[in-house]
Amino acid sequence: MFFREFKYALLTLLRSKELIFWTLVFPFALCTFMYMAFGNLFETTEKFDPIPTAIVQKGDNPAFAVMLGEISAKGDDQLLIANYTGEEQAEKLLDEEEIDGIIYIDKKMSLKVKDNGMNQTILQMVLKQFAQYEKLLTDVGQKNPEQVMKVAESLQNQVDYFAEENETAGNQDNVINYFYAIFAMTCLFASFAGCDIILRLQANMSSLGQRRNVAGMGKMKMLLADFAASELVQFVLVCLLLLYMRFVLGLNIGNRYGAILLILFAGTSFGIMFGILVGTLPRLGEGGKMGILVSVNLLFCCMSDLMVSGIKDFIEHHIPVLNDINPAALVTDAFYALNVYDTYGRFITDFLWLAGLTVICAVACFFIVRRNRYASL
């Protein structure tokens, strides 16, 4: 009987166009449009790339040549892409905006730029710092020649203008939070399937509910079979979304797939149980219950940065308990923890909170459904 109920619940879900749209088509479409809008924003606004620079040799300056070789050497700490060329060719490259500036090597260094920006400012800082070091070494050489090598070694340790240090192998792009929130939204939208489950079990909502209530199978066993079918469908759909984000769009959402699947399973489980709980509310029709689900789900998603980035962080600093009871925030924070932190401490905390909320909903649903009695059918 259980597997028969499971089979027909599964077929009913797969034939529901509304549920498939909200839990499959809509998340995929939203994810695609969001990726098209600003999926590569981090690459163009926050990631530093070596500065293309033309080098024109007008005279000898061995010290600057050595420093230039250090900061233009290929590697993680490369600052410049040095193009040694003539003055005429350098001017042409600058006019065509293929380089950000021209450095003239002579006894006195000089810089020519076309625009003002971060790269041009960095080039100016390079020359300014070199001039300061050169003057310092000259002064030391005139007053204390024996200290020149010691000072030079000290300055050499400071010549690294930047060093890219990865505290984590994960993606720290703020934009990725929007895609974490899409996962949270998809998990919460599983509540529509949960609400549909309980509506098909209530005798006062439909003739189907009346027939199921007089069937030989107990309500709790039917509810469990329906839950299992819904969980299977919703979990598969959110896994398809995971594959789409990771391998089609190429988003770096982490590689701890076991933990990711665990939090997605917990998220869809909560979504279904939350939908069942709302579906048990008395004196409300199907439209009213669906309206509550839509409103609450969108509020949860908004608080987890789906609409505007930074809301979840603001809540964390002012009313942190709201993030602890917001399932969408727990899902996004779990993804963030998996992608950024080397340990599982924060992820486990988020998972336990989400599992606890699911258990609370399940216990409440159990007592409400068990107490439901009908005077006549």
Side-chain angles (χ1 to χ4, degrees), residues 232-254:
L232 176 61
V233 172
Q234 299 301 322
F235 185 65
V236 169
L237 292 180
V238 78
C239 286
L240 290 176
L241 181 64
L242 172 65
L243 294 174
Y244 179 70
M245 283 193 189
R246 182 64 187 89
F247 297 106
V248 178
L249 299 183
L251 296 174
N252 182 6
I253 55 178

Side-chain angles (χ1 to χ4, degrees), residues 7 39-40 204 227 254 363:
K7 171 186 174 182
N40 295 320
N204 62 332
F227 174 84
V363 172

Side-chain angles (χ1 to χ4, degrees), residues 108-372:
K108 185 176 181 181
M109 313 305 299
S110 60
L111 171 68
K112 182 176 181 180
V113 297
K114 184 177 180 181
D115 300 312
N116 293 323
M118 183 183 70
N119 288 351
Q120 289 79 7
T121 302
I122 292 175
L123 292 176
Q124 187 177 12
M125 290 174 59
V126 169
L127 294 188
K128 183 178 180 180
Q129 188 170 354
F130 174 76
Q132 293 174 349
Y133 288 173
E134 187 179 39
K135 184 176 185 304
L136 177 60
L137 288 173
T138 301
D139 293 343
V140 171
Q142 291 176 352
K143 298 178 182 179
N144 298 295
E146 67 280 2
Q147 297 293 325
V148 171
M149 292 303 300
K150 185 177 180 180
V151 174
E153 291 177 0
S154 177
L155 294 178
Q156 187 176 7
N157 294 331
Q158 302 177 30
V159 76
D160 293 331
Y161 293 91
F162 79 98
E164 185 175 351
E165 296 182 0
N166 289 327
E167 297 180 356
T168 173
N171 186 356
Q172 300 185 59
D173 180 0
N174 290 331
V175 173
I176 201 67
N177 291 336
Y178 289 107
F179 297 94
Y180 296 157
I182 291 179
F183 280 117
M185 179 199 71
T186 306
C187 290
L188 290 183
F189 277 7
S191 60
F192 300 142
C195 188
D196 185 67
I197 287 174
I198 198 65
L199 291 177
R200 289 188 290 108
L201 193 60
Q202 292 175 326
N204 62 332
M205 297 300 297
S206 66
S207 58
L208 175 61
Q210 294 174 5
R211 292 194 298 270
R212 298 185 75 190
N213 271 265
V214 297
M217 189 175 182
K219 286 193 296 184
M220 297 310 302
K221 192 174 290 186
M222 283 192 289
L223 187 61
L224 182 60
D226 289 352
F227 174 84
S230 296
E231 179 59 38
L232 176 61
V233 172
Q234 299 301 322
F235 185 65
V236 169
L237 292 180
V238 78
C239 286
L240 290 176
L241 181 64
L242 172 65
L243 294 174
Y244 179 70
M245 283 193 189
R246 182 64 187 89
F247 297 106
V248 178
L249 299 183
L251 296 174
N252 182 6
I253 55 178
N255 54 9
R256 301 178 183 180
Y257 297 112
I260 290 175
L261 293 178
L262 182 62
I263 198 65
L264 291 178
F265 181 83
T268 52
S269 297
F270 172 83
I272 295 171
M273 291 308 307
F274 179 64
I276 295 175
L277 180 61
V278 172
T280 60
L281 295 177
R283 293 185 291 275
L284 274 179
E286 180 179 354
K289 293 174 182 180
M290 287 296 181
I292 291 175
L293 286 178
V294 171
S295 302
V296 174
N297 286 342
L298 289 179
L299 178 62
F300 282 155
C301 291
C302 179
M303 293 167 62
S304 66
D305 287 353
L306 179 62
M307 288 74 171
V308 180
S309 180
I311 295 180
K312 184 164 71 75
D313 184 66
F314 175 84
I315 295 174
E316 184 65 28
H317 284 85
H318 294 84
I319 320 174
V321 68
L322 290 182
N323 282 339
D324 294 334
I325 61 175
N326 179 1
L330 293 173
V331 172
T332 58
D333 193 66
F335 268 93
Y336 177 83
L338 288 174
N339 205 358
V340 173
Y341 294 103
D342 294 329
T343 62
Y344 286 90
R346 184 166 173 175
F347 166 80
I348 293 174
T349 300
D350 293 328
F351 173 78
L352 291 177
W353 271 104
L354 190 57
L357 293 174
T358 306
V359 170
I360 291 173
C361 290
V363 172
C365 292
F366 173 79
F367 284 106
I368 294 174
V369 173
R370 188 180 181 185
R371 291 180 59 186
N372 280 344

